[in-house]
Amino acid sequence: MLSFQSSKNVLSLTEDLLVRIYELLAAESDRKSFRLVCREFRRIDTLTRRHLRVIRIEFLPILLRKYPRLQSLDLSACPRIDDGVVSLLLTRVGPGSNSPILGHWAWGLKSLVLSRATGLRFSGLEMLARACPCLESVDVSYCCGFGDREAAALSSAVGLRELNMDKCLQLTDVGLAKIAVGCSKLEKLSLKWCMEMTDLGIDLLCKKCVDLKYLDVSYLKVTNESLHSIASLLKLEVLGLMACPLIDDVGLQFIERGCPSLKVIDVSRCEGVSSSGLIFVVRGHRNLLELNAGYCLSELSTALLHQMKNLNHLEVIRIDGARISETSFQVISANCKSLVEIGLSKCLGVTNMGIMRLVSACINLRVLNLTCCHSITDAAISAIAYSCRSLVCLKVESCNMITEKGLCQLGSFCLLLEEIDLTDCCGVNDKGLEYLSRCSELSCLKLGLCTNISNKGLSYIGFNCLKIHELDLYRCTGIGDDGLEALSNGCKKLRKLNLSYCNEVSDRGLGYIGRLEELSDLEMRALHKITGVGLEAVAVGCKRLADLDMKHCEKVGDSGFWALAYYSKNLRQINLSYCGISDMALCMVMGNLSRLQEAKLVHLSNCTVEGVELALRACCVRIKKVKLFAPLRFMLSSEILEILHARGCIIRWD
């Protein structure tokens, strides 16, 4: 608590100085603390806030009235937004507002995120496009109902430079043509999973939007004709072609002679692409910075390696799934010394000697993926640790020969390490975690299936790795309540935690988890010792919980589910399959959780058909995906099934 004199000194600061102080606060939690100090600090927050991410749609009118100078608005957590809500926001900001200025908040808006806003249609988009004259970036990804009319409405935002339309399943060449003609200033466009798109639409896009620097057409059924069109884009720097089944080496030959500014290309999982096609790309673009060819090459050919000698500026290469020899490692290390990331997941032929040759020259490596490279031992890990002092991410899942000796080297030399995946590395033990805990910058640690670790090992992480925000303990059967106590005392920033099948965890352990206020994602499948008491502790303490998986938690009673319904208002996804929830508790959970979008409700033995139907009626306005027990297909009324279908809810039967 500040003394009176200290408070007086702080409040004597000029507005300009307070603004500069506020702008130095990067973390949202720090900014929240700032604006809670006093009215003057809250006023500074109002004056300077340019970015806003809204969690609860009911607070949106008040927030927009409070922050009229926004440049970026993220509504991805508000899937219920629709044309009616947009109309309200653009005509009257906040209940009871007497302001004659309509939609003032939209005047300076430059970036708008509407991802998963499935209720928004052409009318709402047209209003937004007209009300936001400065709009430069729009994200409508995963708006599955977004089609040609919506694209036409959005095309009136003539100043658009960035547009994300991933998984807009109704979009066709007609809608893309509207965007291409209306938004000719586009520099960045993503069309992943827009399955109705063809070569015709891509061709028109390339003719009209000649300033494109980023284009992603991954997962589309476009052919080599599209690559012929794309090759004409003189400013294109990034091209995403992941899992395009109809393109092959002939199409990549067009890229060799075109796209002179190309820096990044992704042809991963393209079945028709071979080393010959990549030779065309490499030969035509010696300034390439990133090459992603994961799971499309059977082997790294000698001819391709010869061409790679010219890639002196290459920073990222991913060749996951290919066969590679020790000679290949030598060529890469001798010529691609600028590498900062290498992906070798599931590559055949990766040996200790090969890795040693690689890292001896590539000392600037920051990311290394060796997932399922089963021949790797502590010798390779030691070489990596000694040579790559700047390493921030290491993935060695299923590398069973790694032991505490390798982790000792990582803990001694790789002090900048932020992420390590040790899933299914059975050689990892408590001593290894003690060594690894020296990496105080660690933020993501995956220890799934590491059955030789216990509470003692977890306590080292809890005491020393205070920046961890993601921890995977899947099937770590030696972990119990004492380990979770140490974790909750130190790792206050934990946001994602997997405790599934950690059989020793009880209600006491979940009580410690309830102290983690930042926790948003919790998996706790098959914790047979927990009851409603433990679930209540989590619901009360973890107010930011958005994703909860408690499949097979049979002993949790209704008291826990009632607490969940009352306290966990931010839940978006929940898995209650094989739980002992009753009809009444299920209706409360499904009805009270106003942000719930996805639910898995399979094998609820204590629920009746009538109870499940009532629960579905309680949430049918907002639920987007639900998984049900297969026999219910013939037991639920046709009325409720039609209502869910009409509202765009995807029903899956198990």
Side-chain angles (χ1 to χ4, degrees), residues 615-632:
L616 292 174
R617 289 182 182 276
C619 67
C620 63
V621 174
R622 59 185 175 275
I623 199 77
K624 300 302 177 187
K625 188 184 296 184
V626 64
K627 189 175 184 179
L628 300 170
F629 190 35
L632 289 177

Side-chain angles (χ1 to χ4, degrees), residues 433 454-462 471 473 479 483-484 486-487:
L433 292 187
S454 68
N455 293 326
K456 184 178 180 180
L458 192 58
S459 67
Y460 294 127
I461 301 299
L471 179 62
L473 299 170
I479 297 298
L484 296 182
L487 192 70

Side-chain angles (χ1 to χ4, degrees), residues 2-15 17-18 21 34 37-44:
L2 287 173
S3 66
F4 174 77
Q5 186 62 40
S6 298
S7 301
K8 186 176 179 181
N9 291 338
V10 169
L11 293 177
S12 65
L13 294 173
T14 64
E15 180 179 290
L17 285 174
L18 287 173
I21 292 170
F34 179 92
V37 171
C38 62
R39 288 185 179 180
E40 179 63 13
F41 281 27
R42 193 183 312 129
R43 189 181 71 84
I44 295 298

